[in-house]
Amino acid sequence: MTNNNNMSRRDFLKIASIGGAGVVVGSTGLGTSLLAINHFGKDNKHTKHKVNFYGKYQSGIISDVQKHVYFVVLELHSTEVNEVKEMFKQWTAHSIKLMNGDLIAPLTNNTMLPTIDTGEAKGLDAARLTLTYGVSPTFFDKLKITEKRPKDLKDLPHFPKDQLDDKFTGGDIVIQACSDDPQVNFHAIRNLIRASSGIVTMKWAQTGFNSFEEKDGKVQTPRNLFSFKDGTGNPKAHEQDALDQYIFSNSGWEKNGSYLVVRKIQMHLETWDRTALEDQEATFGRHRDSGAPLGKKNEFDTVNIEEKDKEGNYVIPEDSHVHLAKKAKTKMLRRSFSYTNGVNEQTGAFDAGLIFVSYQKSPEQFTRIQNMLGRIDRMNEYITHRGSGVFLVFPGIKEGGYIGETLFNSI
C-alpha cells in the first residue's frame, strides 16, 4: 500500500512538472509562478520590526546593524543572461515578502506537492531582516558581459600574512542576510537558494553574531571576540558627504552601489588570552573598556596618531592597528560579525573569528589600508586571514524594479 502511494505521488509530480494544475516544478525552483516574478509587491509599512526593501541604496549597508548574519557566497552555473535576470526578479519578489515578515507563498492545499515555502519562519516577525546582493568579477566572465564590469571590480591582490583557503575564497554571487533572529536569516537564504536550484549552488557560508550594550537608551558599538569595539570609525547613515566620498559609487550603471569586501579571519583566542591588557590595548591603539583612542577618554574622541608622550613616544604606537589604518588616509564602512564553529580538530583550540565585511566606493580603499597594515601590524600575531572575496553590491531598487535592474537594462 505504501509503495503504491509513493508511486502515485511521483506520478503526480511528473505531471505537475509538465504543466499540470498550473504549477511549475523545475530547475528554477519549486512552485514558482510567472505572476510571482512579474509582480514584486510593496514594502509593508505596518510590519513589526520592518526594514524597507526599496530605497536609494540596498538594505544591509547603512541600515542599523542587527544581531545575526547569514553570509553565503554562490557559484553561478548558467551562462544565459535572461535566465539569470529572471532569477534576480524572482529573488526580488521573494525578498520583499521575506523582509515584510511573510512566507514567500501560503501553505498549499495539495499535500501531494512540496510546499513552496519551507515554513520554519511561520509565526516569526520580520526581525529587521535585510537582504543584500552583490556579484564578483567572475559573474561578468561567466555571462560574457565583461564590457559591463566596472574597472574597479577586480580580484584583491595577495596581502602579507594571507593564508587563504580556496574553500572560502572567490565565488560569483553574494547574499548577506542580517536580522535579529538567526532562524529568520536561515529561512531567507534557504528559500532563495531553493528557488534558484540548478542555476546557483553554495560555495561557502558562515553564520555570525553581534551583541549590543545599551547605554543611556542608545545601542553601543558591538565588541568582537577580542573584547574591543568594532566599527567605531564608521561613517554615519546621516553623513551624506562621507557616504558619497567613501561608500557609494556615483557613476555608471552601478551608481549608488558599493563594493563589498569579505575576509574570513581566524582569531587565535588562546594566544590573545595570555596577552597582558596593556599589550592588547597597544595592539589595537584603543582602550578596551571605553573604546577610546589611547590617551583619550571617550570612544569617539579624535584619533591623533602624531601625538607623543613626554618621552617622545607615540601615544598610539606606530605598529598598532589604529595607527596604521589611520595613515592610509581613507575610510570604509565596517559591518563585521563574530563567528564560532566549535573546535579546530587539528589544534583542539576554538574555531572562532571574525567575518570581516566592509563597504567602500572602491576596493582600492580596502587594499590601501590592508597594505598599510602589512607585516608590521601587531594584530598579525593573533589573527590569520582564511577567506576572501570582493563583490559589487547592486544599487538600491526603486519600487516596481528588481535587483540588478540597472545592470541588465544596460546590456
Side-chain angles (χ1 to χ4, degrees):
M1 185 68 178
T2 301
N3 290 337
N4 289 338
N5 284 342
N6 287 340
M7 181 62 73
S8 66
R9 290 190 183 93
R10 288 196 294 271
D11 290 343
F12 187 89
L13 287 170
K14 289 176 182 178
I15 294 171
S17 67
I18 297 171
V23 176
V24 179
V25 182
S27 63
T28 57
L30 291 165
T32 302
S33 68
L34 291 176
L35 177 63
I37 295 176
N38 292 325
H39 180 69
F40 300 122
K42 297 181 178 181
D43 283 319
N44 185 344
K45 308 295 184 181
H46 303 291
T47 297
K48 189 177 181 181
H49 302 140
K50 157 76 178 171
V51 177
N52 289 337
F53 172 80
Y54 295 114
K56 181 178 181 180
Y57 311 122
Q58 279 200 67
S59 67
I61 304 176
I62 58 173
S63 311
D64 291 340
V65 178
Q66 303 95 320
K67 293 182 179 179
H68 298 277
V69 69
Y70 197 114
F71 196 93
V72 62
V73 175
L74 309 174
E75 290 191 319
L76 179 64
H77 299 290
S78 174
T79 60
E80 299 296 327
V81 171
N82 285 335
E83 184 176 37
V84 175
K85 179 171 72 173
E86 291 305 308
M87 178 184 72
F88 278 107
K89 286 184 176 182
Q90 186 179 66
W91 280 353
T92 300
H94 290 348
S95 296
I96 295 166
K97 290 182 178 181
L98 292 165
M99 288 176 59
N100 280 337
D102 298 328
L103 302 181
I104 61 173
L107 186 67
T108 177
N109 291 324
N110 191 334
T111 59
M112 298 181 74
L113 281 174
T115 59
I116 297 175
D117 190 292
T118 55
E120 69 272 24
K122 175 71 174 177
L124 304 179
D125 67 30
R128 296 197 298 142
L129 175 67
T130 58
L131 292 164
T132 315
Y133 297 85
V135 293
S136 76
T138 55
F139 175 87
F140 296 85
D141 296 335
K142 289 186 175 181
L143 292 182
K144 298 180 175 60
I145 54 171
T146 54
E147 73 280 1
K148 296 300 179 182
R149 184 173 62 216
K151 61 180 178 59
D152 284 345
L153 183 59
K154 51 189 175 183
D155 290 335
L156 298 173
H158 179 84
F159 297 109
K161 302 291 186 178
D162 272 2
Q163 296 184 38
L164 302 180
D165 188 326
D166 288 341
K167 291 186 299 184
F168 309 120
T169 302
D172 304 313
I173 300 173
V174 66
I175 308 176
Q176 173 192 269
C178 299
S179 80
D180 292 326
D181 188 325
Q183 189 146 316
V184 168
N185 286 343
F186 181 80
H187 170 258
I189 294 296
R190 179 183 182 185
N191 281 274
L192 291 168
I193 293 175
R194 184 174 186 246
S196 51
S197 175
I199 301 178
V200 295
T201 56
M202 289 188 289
K203 179 175 174 62
W204 68 274
Q206 181 63 60
T207 58
F209 57 89
N210 271 323
S211 292
F212 310 103
E213 174 190 6
E214 288 197 21
K215 190 174 182 180
D216 300 327
K218 295 182 179 180
V219 172
Q220 305 298 299
T221 308
R223 294 181 183 272
N224 57 38
L225 296 182
F226 285 159
S227 303
F228 281 76
K229 295 190 174 187
D230 196 313
T232 297
N234 278 344
K236 304 297 187 290
H238 65 273
E239 297 175 343
Q240 191 62 52
D241 288 346
L243 299 182
D244 291 340
Q245 184 177 356
Y246 294 111
I247 310 305
F248 293 104
S249 175
N250 57 14
S251 63
W253 67 259
E254 68 272 22
K255 182 178 180 180
N256 297 325
S258 186
Y259 290 89
L260 181 159
V261 170
V262 59
R263 304 280 282 180
K264 185 172 183 179
I265 301 175
Q266 178 185 0
M267 299 170 75
H268 306 299
L269 300 181
E270 288 80 2
T271 303
W272 183 257
D273 291 342
R274 293 193 296 268
T275 302
L277 177 59
E278 181 181 40
D279 289 336
Q280 289 182 355
E281 293 186 333
T283 297
F284 271 93
R286 290 186 178 272
H287 295 291
R288 192 174 87 172
D289 187 40
S290 65
L294 292 182
K296 303 293 178 66
K297 293 183 178 180
N298 301 308
E299 178 184 356
F300 297 103
D301 286 346
T302 301
V303 175
N304 181 4
I305 61 174
E306 301 300 329
E307 183 181 0
K308 295 184 178 181
D309 59 22
K310 294 179 181 179
E311 286 74 36
N313 300 313
Y314 285 104
V315 174
I316 301 177
E318 288 184 276
D319 56 357
S320 70
H321 200 68
V322 165
H323 192 118
L324 292 167
K326 189 73 173 177
K327 284 181 69 175
K329 297 181 179 180
T330 189
K331 292 183 179 181
M332 55 191 181
L333 192 154
R334 294 171 60 111
R335 195 179 176 92
S336 301
F337 290 81
S338 300
Y339 74 85
T340 57
N341 289 338
V343 180
N344 185 314
E345 295 181 358
Q346 295 179 332
T347 64
F350 287 105
D351 183 355
L354 188 74
I355 293 297
F356 171 94
V357 178
S358 68
Y359 290 91
Q360 45 270 305
K361 191 172 185 176
S362 168
E364 177 59 29
Q365 294 162 245
F366 173 83
T367 299
R368 195 185 314 169
I369 292 174
Q370 193 63 27
N371 280 334
M372 184 63 69
L373 298 175
R375 298 182 181 277
I376 65 172
D377 182 11
R378 288 194 187 198
M379 192 73 70
N380 291 330
E381 182 180 350
Y382 307 102
I383 63 172
T384 303
H385 290 252
R386 299 296 189 189
S388 182
V390 59
F391 302 86
L392 174 55
V393 171
F394 291 121
I397 300 97
K398 296 179 180 179
E399 189 164 344
Y402 62 92
I403 301 159
E405 182 175 19
T406 56
L407 167 61
F408 291 108
N409 282 350
S410 73
I411 297 173

